[in-house]
Amino acid sequence: MIELTRLNGNPMVLNSDLIKTAEASPDTMLTLINGEKLIVREDTAEVVERVLAYHSRLLASVAKRLPSMGEVQRVVSLTSLDVSGQLTLASAPPRNDPQSGR
């Protein structure tokens, strides 16, 4: 969520994930994904900066909750995943195949 100011001076909080486009003409007009249009006092660069700052804070919050990389690698090794490139399952045990008698 980012805080913006409507043209009349009233502050508002907007879910930044709903912004489809931001245009400067000369006021900043935000078009939301549902087609609604909002005009705000902040210029487009400020809107973009606030969206990026919000997403940065969100990602930092998520990263703090993740276990350390050593723990992640240990869990990955326990689940037999290859993390050297693409994630792939290690060879699975043979399945019971009625034709081969196994």
Side-chain angles (χ1 to χ4, degrees):
M1 303 288 278
I2 59 172
E3 187 171 330
L4 298 171
T5 311
R6 293 182 183 269
L7 272 185
N8 64 7
N10 291 336
M12 68 174 192
V13 178
L14 177 67
N15 180 345
S16 62
D17 293 333
L18 299 179
I19 300 173
K20 184 177 181 180
T21 61
E23 302 173 49
S25 59
D27 298 317
T28 303
M29 181 173 59
L30 305 176
T31 303
L32 307 183
I33 59 174
N34 65 0
E36 182 180 352
K37 296 188 184 295
L38 300 170
I39 299 177
V40 297
R41 287 187 175 182
E42 292 79 9
D43 62 23
T44 55
E46 179 66 23
V47 172
V48 169
E49 183 61 36
R50 290 183 188 189
V51 170
L52 292 175
Y54 168 71
H55 284 278
S56 295
R57 287 191 311 271
L58 183 65
L59 289 174
S61 174
V62 170
K64 286 179 186 176
R65 294 183 179 139
L66 289 177
S68 69
M69 196 56 184
E71 288 183 46
V72 170
Q73 289 175 337
R74 186 177 65 79
V75 169
V76 166
S77 69
L78 290 174
T79 58
S80 301
L81 294 175
D82 176 15
V83 293
S84 61
Q86 295 181 343
L87 293 178
T88 58
L89 289 175
S91 59
R95 293 195 288 180
N96 187 8
D97 185 359
Q99 292 178 345
S100 67
R102 299 189 339 188

